[in-house]
C-alpha cells in the first residue's frame, strides 16, 4: 500500500515517468520471492539480475517513518534484515543501498536510505552474510570520506560478504578516489572483501520538462510558471 511512495522515488532517481510505473507494471507481487516469480512468469529478451533494494525495504517496514528518514528501531532493522535475507535466499544477487544526495524524488525529497545508521546496515549485512550468498552494494557521496569508509568497512566485516562501493571523482576533490581505492586495498589485505565500482562512461543527465532536470531550473522566471 506504499507503492505510490516508491513510484515517486523512481520518478526522480531514474526519471521513469509515473504512467510507466503505475500502468506499465502489473504490481502482482509483494515479497521479493513474489517479484522473482513475476519475472519468471514471462519471457524477456535480456537476462535479468536482481538485488534487494534498501529503499523498498525501508518503506515497506517503516512506512512514512522510513520515507522521513527516521532512525530504524531494533525491531525495524531486524525485519528489514529478515526480508533482505529472504530475497537473497530466493535468488537475488545481493542487497543494495544508496547514500547519495543525488537520489531524490521528482519533488526533491531525499531517498529514504540516505542517512541510515550503522546499526541498521549492520543488521542487514549480518542477515545477508548468514545466508552464505550475496553481496552488499553501496553508492555514497563520501562527503566525509574517512568516517564513511570506516563505517562501511565495519559493515562489510560484520557481514562476512563482499561489498562493492561506487568510486567517484569530483573536481573539488580530484585525488580522493585514490584515497578510497587505497582504503579498499588495505581492507582486502586485512581480509575484508571490498571492491570499487567505476562507471565506464561519464554520468549522463536527461533534460526535459516532464522529468526532474531541465536547463531552466533555478531561474526565477521559470519558477514562476513551473507549476503550469
Amino acid at each position: 500500500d506504499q507503492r505510490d511512495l516508491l513510484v515517486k522515488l523512481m520518478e526522480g532517481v531514474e526519471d521513469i515517468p509515473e504512467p510507466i510505473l503505475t500502468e506499465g507494471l502489473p504490481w502482482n507481487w509483494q515479497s521479493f520471492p513474489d517479484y522473482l516469480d513475476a519475472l519468471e512468469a514471462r519471457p524477456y529478451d535480456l537476462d535479468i539480475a536482481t538485488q534487494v533494494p534498501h529503499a523498498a525495504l525501508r518503506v515497506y517496514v517503516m512506512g512514512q517513518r522510513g520515507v522521513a528518514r527516521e532512525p530504524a528501531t531494533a525491531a525495524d532493522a531486524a525485519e528489514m534484515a529478515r526480508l533482505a535475507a529472504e530475497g537473497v535466499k530466493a535468488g537475488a544477487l545481493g542487497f543494495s543501498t544508496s547514500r547519495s544526495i543525488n537520489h531524490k524524488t521528482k519533488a526533491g525529497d531525499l531517498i529514504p536510505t540516505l542517512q541510515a545508521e550503522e546499526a541498521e546496515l549492520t543488521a542487514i549485512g549480518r542477515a545477508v552474510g548468514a545466508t552464505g550468498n550475496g553481496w552488499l552494494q553501496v553508492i555514497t557521496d563520501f562527503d566525509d570520506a574517512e568516517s564513511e569508509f570506516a563505517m562501511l568497512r565495519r559493515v562489510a566485516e560484520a557481514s562476512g560478504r563482499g561489498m562493492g562501493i561506487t568510486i567517484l571523482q569530483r573536481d573539488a576533490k580530484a585525488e580522493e578516489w585514490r584515497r578510497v581505492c587505497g582504503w579498499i586495498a588495505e581492507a582486502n589485505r586485512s581480509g575484508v572483501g571490498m571492491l570499487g565500482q567505476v562507471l565506464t562512461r561519464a554520468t549522463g543527465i536527461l533534460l526535459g520538462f516532464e522529468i526532474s532536470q531541465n536547463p531552466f531550473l533555478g531561474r526565477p522566471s521559470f519558477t514562476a510558471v513551473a507549476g503550469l
Side-chain angles (χ1 to χ4, degrees):
D1 60 349
Q2 303 104 337
R3 69 179 62 163
D4 287 346
L5 299 174
L6 297 174
V7 168
K8 286 183 173 66
L9 180 64
M10 296 313 292
E11 269 192 292
V13 173
E14 298 295 350
D15 274 323
I16 303 173
E18 174 268 331
I20 301 293
L21 296 167
T22 56
E23 299 176 28
L25 294 179
W27 292 97
N28 56 346
W29 63 85
Q30 179 161 309
S31 69
F32 199 86
D34 290 344
Y35 174 61
L36 293 181
D37 289 342
L39 290 179
E40 196 170 11
R42 53 158 287 183
Y44 293 87
D45 293 330
L46 297 172
D47 292 329
I48 297 176
T50 60
Q51 297 196 104
V52 181
H54 191 188
L57 287 190
R58 211 164 201 272
V59 173
Y60 182 77
V61 171
M62 298 176 63
Q64 190 59 44
R65 290 187 298 116
V67 175
R69 301 186 311 284
E70 292 183 16
T73 65
D76 293 332
E79 180 63 2
M80 283 186 270
R82 183 188 72 80
L83 292 169
E86 177 184 69
V88 171
K89 289 176 183 176
L93 288 186
F95 165 82
S96 62
T97 188
S98 171
R99 302 172 65 78
S100 176
I101 200 169
N102 295 307
H103 286 167
K104 303 176 183 178
T105 69
K106 191 174 178 182
D109 298 322
L110 297 168
I111 195 166
T113 58
L114 178 66
Q115 296 163 321
E117 295 180 346
E118 182 174 348
E120 178 180 339
L121 295 174
T122 299
I124 295 169
R126 283 181 172 148
V128 171
T131 70
N133 289 299
W135 71 331
L136 311 177
Q137 191 224 344
V138 181
I139 178 169
T140 176
D141 295 331
F142 279 124
D143 288 326
D144 184 351
E146 291 190 38
S147 64
E148 179 77 349
F149 184 88
M151 184 274 286
L152 293 176
R153 174 174 168 162
R154 290 192 296 270
V155 172
E157 186 169 15
S159 76
R161 304 303 301 172
M163 177 184 283
I165 303 173
T166 304
I167 302 295
L168 304 172
Q169 177 174 332
R170 295 175 171 176
D171 291 342
K173 300 178 180 179
E175 296 298 306
E176 186 151 290
W177 65 273
R178 295 184 188 274
R179 291 206 300 156
V180 174
C181 287
W183 295 334
I184 289 174
E186 196 282 323
N188 280 281
R189 286 192 295 269
S190 300
V192 181
M194 302 181 80
L195 60 87
Q197 295 179 265
V198 184
L199 293 173
T200 55
R201 59 171 175 78
T203 300
I205 296 177
L206 298 174
L207 301 177
F209 292 120
E210 299 301 321
I211 53 179
S212 61
Q213 302 288 325
N214 71 67
F216 309 107
L217 284 177
R219 302 296 298 176
S221 54
F222 178 74
T223 300
V225 299
L228 303 178

